[in-house]
Amino acid sequence: MQSVIFFDIDGTLVTEDARAIIPQSTREAIELTRKKGNLTFINSGRTAFNINDRVKELGFDGYICGCGTYIEYDGEVMFSRTIPQDQCRSIAELMRKCNVTPVYEHSEGYFFDDSAVMTDGLREFMDVFVDSGIDISGRVEDEDFGFDKFVIWVNPQSDMELFNREIGKNFSIIDRGSGFYENVPLGYSKATGIDMVLKRLGIPMENAYAIGDSMNDLPMLEAVPNSIAMGGAEKIYPYVSYITSAIEEDGIKNALLHFNLI
């Protein structure tokens, strides 16, 4: 029976260092499993516009983006959820009161707030986008301002009590470390994206596989019975059913071989 495999990007398909290597064995494994009739999906916290062409060229049947807020299959949008604009503007005002540095993520672009503190994290974020040719001109004042999810960096003057109290009413607040927080609307995650895909395509849960390398992949890994950790990702070893080799040691290929997916 047809299976579906959900892949994280950074540290799973692509090395996380400046080299950003995609091993040839990874390319071959994805091609082989698709030829066998299995489906492949990206499952990422990145919003749709931020899946770069190098990743897309590997060949995927679909994409779960923005932690389940956007789903695409076979070139068609299966599901998309953007926060109503009035709520987006209220949140932007609240972020200014909290004195945090936000980036608002939409499936078609990012929006920035020039009144926010410029942090090292934001500067690095924007530099990466510029190097990748991604437009960083969007601002909260724009007429089309809106977002699906958002991230923040904090500083010593940030009012995190106010932030947690108000944002926690409608968002899952994910501490990514080093004063960086990812905020996803309640009811959405990499796991809900998987559930939606499986129900829509009529594929049983036992035929679902997920491959990741970090703690933010846990919702996806815990959602399926066949969960795979990349070699070297020791923090998630206790939560998975199989540990493959490292990314540059044919990790993807070896995982798919282990489960007879190629």
Side-chain angles (χ1 to χ4, degrees):
M1 183 179 287
Q2 187 179 51
S3 294
V4 58
I5 310 153
F6 299 92
F7 297 87
D8 175 50
I9 299 176
D10 298 304
T12 300
L13 295 172
V14 185
T15 61
E16 287 196 280
D17 54 29
R19 299 171 302 154
I21 290 173
I22 300 175
Q24 182 60 30
S25 63
T26 295
R27 300 178 188 275
E28 294 170 354
I30 291 172
E31 181 180 3
L32 286 171
T33 198
R34 294 183 77 205
K35 285 183 176 178
K36 195 170 180 177
N38 298 317
L39 299 175
T40 57
F41 274 74
I42 288 291
N43 195 347
S44 177
R46 298 187 190 191
T47 48
F49 88 103
N50 195 22
I51 309 296
N52 65 47
D53 289 340
R54 290 183 67 236
V55 171
K56 290 180 179 179
E57 287 167 0
L58 292 174
F60 293 96
D61 298 283
Y63 301 86
I64 299 172
C65 301
C67 293
T69 58
Y70 175 96
I71 303 175
E72 182 180 314
Y73 171 63
D74 198 24
E76 300 292 332
V77 177
M78 179 188 295
F79 175 82
S80 181
R81 195 268 186 181
T82 296
I83 298 165
Q85 192 177 61
D86 60 337
Q87 293 181 28
C88 290
R89 296 205 177 279
S90 294
I91 290 169
E93 286 302 314
L94 176 63
M95 293 307 96
R96 290 176 174 177
K97 291 179 182 177
C98 293
N99 193 24
V100 298
T101 301
V103 174
Y104 301 103
E105 303 174 88
H106 189 275
S107 60
E108 297 180 359
Y110 279 173
F111 293 90
F112 302 86
D113 188 344
D114 290 333
S115 71
V117 174
M118 174 58 74
T119 65
D120 290 341
L122 176 59
R123 187 175 291 109
E124 181 180 349
F125 203 75
M126 297 178 82
D127 287 346
V128 168
F129 282 172
V130 170
D131 290 343
S132 303
I134 294 174
D135 182 13
I136 60 169
S137 65
R139 294 294 184 271
V140 295
E141 292 81 11
D142 294 352
E143 186 176 341
D144 62 345
F145 171 63
F147 56 92
D148 307 340
K149 59 189 283 284
F150 70 104
V151 298
I152 64 162
W153 288 267
V154 301
N155 62 73
Q157 284 71 50
S158 296
D159 186 345
M160 290 305 290
E161 181 180 350
L162 175 62
F163 177 86
N164 288 319
R165 183 176 70 247
E166 295 302 318
I167 293 302
K169 295 175 181 177
N170 297 299
F171 289 80
S172 297
I173 302 170
I174 305 166
D175 185 351
R176 299 290 298 275
S178 302
F180 180 61
Y181 295 83
E182 184 175 23
N183 308 286
V184 181
L186 291 175
Y188 297 90
S189 69
K190 290 184 177 184
T192 64
I194 287 176
D195 184 62
M196 206 173 297
V197 166
L198 296 180
K199 287 178 178 176
R200 181 68 64 89
L201 301 183
I203 296 175
M205 181 61 76
E206 58 265 28
N207 284 46
Y209 300 77
I211 309 178
D213 73 294
S214 63
M215 293 297 287
N216 68 338
D217 293 318
L218 281 185
M220 171 176 77
L221 297 170
E222 293 180 334
V224 301
N226 309 299
S227 53
I228 303 161
M230 298 299 291
E234 290 88 353
K235 287 186 178 180
I236 63 171
Y237 285 180
Y239 306 98
V240 299
S241 55
Y242 181 70
I243 300 166
T244 187
S245 51
I247 183 171
E248 292 187 77
E249 297 172 3
D250 302 333
I252 294 296
K253 179 180 179 181
N254 290 333
L256 301 191
L257 279 170
H258 174 81
F259 286 101
N260 197 32
L261 294 168
I262 57 175

